[in-house]
Amino acid sequence: MGNKLLEIKGLKVHYITEDGTVPAVDGIDMEIEEGETLGLVGETGAGKTTTALGIMNLVPDPPGKIVDGEIIFNGENLRTKSREAYRQIRGNKISMIFQDPMTSLNPVYTVFDQLTEVIKLHQKVGSGEALERAKEMLAKVGIPQERGEEYPHQFSGGMKQRVLIAIALACNPALLIADEPTTALDVTIQAQVLEVMKDLKKQFKMAMILITHDLGVVSEICEKVAIMYAGKIVEFADLESLFTNPSHPYTVGLFNSIPDPEEDVTELTPIKGLIPEPTELPPGCVFNPRCPDVMDICKGEFPETVELSPTHRVACYKYHKGIGGENK
Amino acid sequence: MAAKTSDQAVAMTTPAAKKKKRSQRAELWRRFKKSKTALIGLGLLALVLVTAIFANQIAPHPYDGMNLMVRRQPPSAEYLMGTDHMGRCVFSRVVYGTRISLVVGFFAVLLSAIAGGTIGAISGFYGDKVDNFIMRIIDVVLSIPPILLAIAIVSAFGGSLVNVMIAIAIGYTPRFARVVRGSVMTIKEDEFIDAARVLGASDYRIITKHIMPNALAPVIVQGTLFVAMAILQAAGLSFIGLGAQPPTPEWGAMLSTGQNYIRDAWWMSVFPGLAIAFTVLSLNLLGDGLRDALDPRLKT
């Protein structure tokens, strides 16, 4: 640990549509060390998936475009890579699993076919060897080998997600991006899949970006958390700091909206208002119309990021010297 | 936890999975045979195929064996469908004609399915400008009635069965292109295509390995129906003298000759006509049955 695996600097991904430009990801910075798990948390439309697609260079173009920024993976800037070079990275060094396991497998091929495909694509091995490896991977995610001959429609959702995990990890990638891997599953299956992922992460010593809107999931497997809101990372911290000292008003709002099982609550405390229209973002801090601690300055420019501690950054004027309270 | 998971997985494979362990083909057959008309179509087509394959054994006379002593004889035990103006056995000619019609129909459609499939896949996959360009060309070709197009091509290159085949194929290529383009456009939005891309698959690989097999169902249905239409068209071209040349026993050509004698030798034109109707009917019934069987909305 301690080695930076992925570093993103000022990444901007915009969708250019007839109705205007949508800054889906608007200048984000983050970094992940080898073997570390980063939780990327935010509401629907906050730009989490676009960030992931940006890393993979698979933003749908048109209308999407990576406008600016650097993606440094293993010391190399991925943005300067050719299409061909990028294909060698995908599935091999960086892998991804999607939200909906139901539709992420090709219905006309057996599970073995799809597992061996990625192995043969990236490693110079024969069919026999690839099949051996495929069997090994299935065993790792807890699916009996004989089911490898079956087609995706013969599997349940949780098993499909496990097959997808097996496919994503077949080439032993250094980084796995999991885009809401458990959202489409029911709660008990969610727990199983998370368990499998946690387990394999340790075995393979890979880093992971876990996209989710479930802070409970984050607390279980992440070491670092990035909170995203309307294309910006508003708070970036290690798990402990975030849960003990949530600093951005949005993060505080998120925690407040989780009901406390100890207390007898009749009403939830949501964050007021809705996430803004992506084409009509408010000027200044994007969160200002919903912020309980809003100040005049918040309507001017988006605040610079402030370091509360070496592992805790927040983008909010409340923590700017001489503006808000020095610290809460 | 992990152990529990795999236990559950094992439990799932045993009895319940065995019952589910039906391949997609078996599933297709199960749905296909629900429809009686589809089964009848399949049966009739099988009969036509057997006739074509064993034409040598079935036909009692050679198709070009002339016997001027028995010209225009009505059907009898010796000549089941009578004889024509040259004293050739109409039954034998109809039997051999099966081969010609099936081969022309099948290869014309195969050719156009390959060409149209490729064009449609490229158009649907890349979309936007490429799609616009290809589709406009296809609109132009589609605006010409297929029979006129075929007549133009055959009269330009000379009347022969091969040219008829090519002419028909050119007429159907844009139709296939449209069908394939439509399904490719739907399939390329599916998440497993993104998943394949994330795993580093190239465009070519995604089109050939992931999209095409999923786009095949409508192509098969269209293909079956188009074979029927292609047979009709080939017969039509031969009827107006542009297709098969004598003494080839082509059904359309036989009809065309027969019409001159229809008053006193009805059997010369009625039997080839029936053969065409029979073959086309079988293909249409089969095509309809396949369409229903392959329609995912009717899945039970």
Side-chain angles (χ1 to χ4, degrees), chain B residues 50-67:
Chain B
V50 168
T51 312
I53 293 164
F54 297 105
N56 288 338
Q57 283 73 36
I58 293 170
H61 302 276
Y63 64 83
D64 53 355
M66 289 185 279
N67 182 357

Side-chain angles (χ1 to χ4, degrees), chain A residues 56 58 83 87 90-91 94-96 98 100 103-109 117-118 121-122 142 144 146-147 150 153-154 156 159 162 167-168 191-192 195, chain B residues 1-2 5-6 8-10 12-13 17 20-24 128 190-203 205 208-211 213-214:
Chain A
M56 298 299 260
L58 286 175
R83 279 166 59 106
R87 277 211 295 113
R90 281 183 214 136
I94 307 180
S95 228
M96 185 164 169
F98 291 97
D100 191 357
T103 55
S104 294
L105 287 166
N106 191 331
V108 302
Y109 293 109
E117 182 187 1
V118 61
L121 213 54
H122 292 297
E146 62 271 19
R147 298 211 58 188
E150 292 179 19
H153 72 275
Q154 291 163 301
S156 69
M159 297 193 87
R162 278 190 262 156
I167 293 174
Q192 287 178 11
E195 204 59 39
Chain B
M1 186 86 206
T5 337
S6 59
Q8 275 183 350
V10 172
M12 285 179 72
T13 51
K20 270 206 301 187
K21 223 174 198 164
R22 246 190 325 224
S23 74
Q24 289 194 314
D128 210 26
D190 280 347
E191 219 159 32
F192 63 83
I193 300 301
D194 291 334
R197 209 170 264 141
V198 156
L199 297 175
S202 60
D203 283 358
R205 196 183 176 85
T208 53
K209 263 208 82 175
H210 292 278
I211 294 184
N214 282 295

Side-chain angles (χ1 to χ4, degrees), chain A:
Chain A
M1 278 216 194
N3 242 341
K4 264 185 198 164
L5 178 72
L6 178 81
E7 197 178 359
I8 294 175
K9 285 184 196 160
L11 181 70
K12 284 188 182 175
V13 184
H14 290 186
Y15 289 110
I16 297 150
T17 66
E18 280 176 13
D19 302 330
T21 302
V22 179
V25 173
D26 201 16
I28 61 164
D29 302 299
M30 60 185 185
E31 63 278 325
I32 301 177
E33 285 164 14
E34 279 169 21
E36 203 175 45
T37 303
L38 170 79
L40 195 53
V41 183
E43 290 170 55
T44 307
K48 301 168 304 214
T49 303
T50 307
T51 307
L53 292 176
I55 297 171
M56 298 299 260
N57 196 14
L58 286 175
V59 179
D61 176 19
K65 245 195 171 73
I66 301 180
V67 188
D68 197 18
E70 281 175 29
I71 301 165
I72 297 159
F73 178 73
N74 260 341
E76 289 178 286
N77 188 353
L78 292 183
R79 287 207 52 213
T80 58
K81 293 259 180 200
S82 68
R83 279 166 59 106
E84 195 55 32
Y86 231 117
R87 277 211 295 113
Q88 295 305 317
I89 293 171
R90 281 183 214 136
N92 196 15
K93 304 253 172 59
I94 307 180
S95 228
M96 185 164 169
I97 49 180
F98 291 97
Q99 179 172 355
D100 191 357
M102 303 300 171
T103 55
S104 294
L105 287 166
N106 191 331
V108 302
Y109 293 109
T110 65
V111 164
F112 272 153
D113 283 339
Q114 305 193 42
L115 253 169
T116 48
E117 182 187 1
V118 61
I119 298 169
K120 282 193 272 189
L121 213 54
H122 292 297
Q123 291 171 2
K124 290 194 173 63
V125 294
S127 303
E129 218 174 307
L131 190 64
E132 276 313 303
R133 176 101 182 113
K135 284 180 178 163
E136 210 179 288
M137 285 311 302
L138 272 194
K140 284 213 164 98
V141 294
I143 292 177
Q145 289 192 358
E146 62 271 19
R147 298 211 58 188
E149 307 282 349
E150 292 179 19
Y151 288 89
H153 72 275
Q154 291 163 301
F155 285 78
S156 69
M159 297 193 87
K160 275 187 206 171
Q161 193 60 290
R162 278 190 262 156
V163 169
L164 285 164
I165 294 172
I167 293 174
L169 301 188
C171 289
N172 206 351
L175 175 66
L176 174 71
I177 304 175
D179 187 359
E180 307 198 22
T182 56
T183 308
L185 307 173
D186 67 49
V187 183
T188 45
I189 307 297
Q190 266 183 24
Q192 287 178 11
V193 168
L194 282 177
E195 204 59 39
V196 170
M197 288 178 64
K198 230 164 134 179
D199 224 48
L200 292 175
K201 208 199 90 174
K202 254 184 242 151
Q203 269 187 49
F204 285 84
K205 294 191 179 61
M206 60 175 183
M208 183 156 89
I209 298 179
L210 180 75
I211 297 175
T212 179
H213 34 229
D214 189 339
L215 284 167
V217 171
V218 168
S219 71
E220 261 184 60
I221 48 178
C222 296
E223 279 120 33
K224 272 188 189 169
V225 191
I227 307 282
M228 262 188 111
Y229 183 80
K232 307 260 192 201
I233 290 185
V234 293
E235 188 162 359
F236 189 92
D238 61 290
L239 187 69
E240 171 126 12
S241 313
L242 190 94
F243 275 73
T244 52
N245 182 23
S247 301
H248 195 279
Y250 177 61
T251 319
V252 176
L254 283 182
F255 278 107
N256 284 343
S257 59
I258 302 171
D260 185 347
E262 307 277 297
E263 267 174 65
D264 197 12
V265 269
T266 47
E267 249 178 81
L268 299 174
T269 22
I271 304 174
K272 274 185 291 173
L274 292 170
I275 196 161
E277 271 301 312
T279 44
E280 300 159 17
L281 292 179
C285 173
V286 279
F287 188 59
N288 83 63
R290 303 172 69 185
C291 185
D293 307 329
V294 64
M295 296 174 280
D296 283 342
I297 190 170
C298 300
K299 290 168 185 160
E301 292 266 306
F302 190 80
E304 294 274 318
T305 310
V306 183
E307 266 193 18
L308 299 181
S309 79
T311 54
H312 194 168
R313 307 194 297 255
V314 61
C316 180
Y317 283 116
K318 271 171 74 183
Y319 305 97
H320 281 222
K321 282 206 171 80
I323 299 174
E326 219 93 306
N327 216 330
K328 239 203 310 191

Side-chain angles (χ1 to χ4, degrees), chain B residues 178-250:
Chain B
R178 277 224 169 142
V179 171
V180 173
R181 169 181 173 263
S183 29
V184 167
M185 285 183 129
T186 328
I187 295 163
K188 78 166 175 179
E189 300 298 333
D190 280 347
E191 219 159 32
F192 63 83
I193 300 301
D194 291 334
R197 209 170 264 141
V198 156
L199 297 175
S202 60
D203 283 358
Y204 175 77
R205 196 183 176 85
I206 287 175
I207 294 177
T208 53
K209 263 208 82 175
H210 292 278
I211 294 184
M212 286 319 275
N214 282 295
L216 222 53
V219 175
I220 291 171
V221 173
Q222 281 296 331
T224 329
L225 298 173
F226 281 168
V227 169
M229 285 161 74
I231 287 176
L232 271 181
Q233 240 187 63
L237 285 172
S238 295
F239 185 82
I240 54 176
L242 287 171
Q245 302 302 319
T248 320
E250 213 280 342

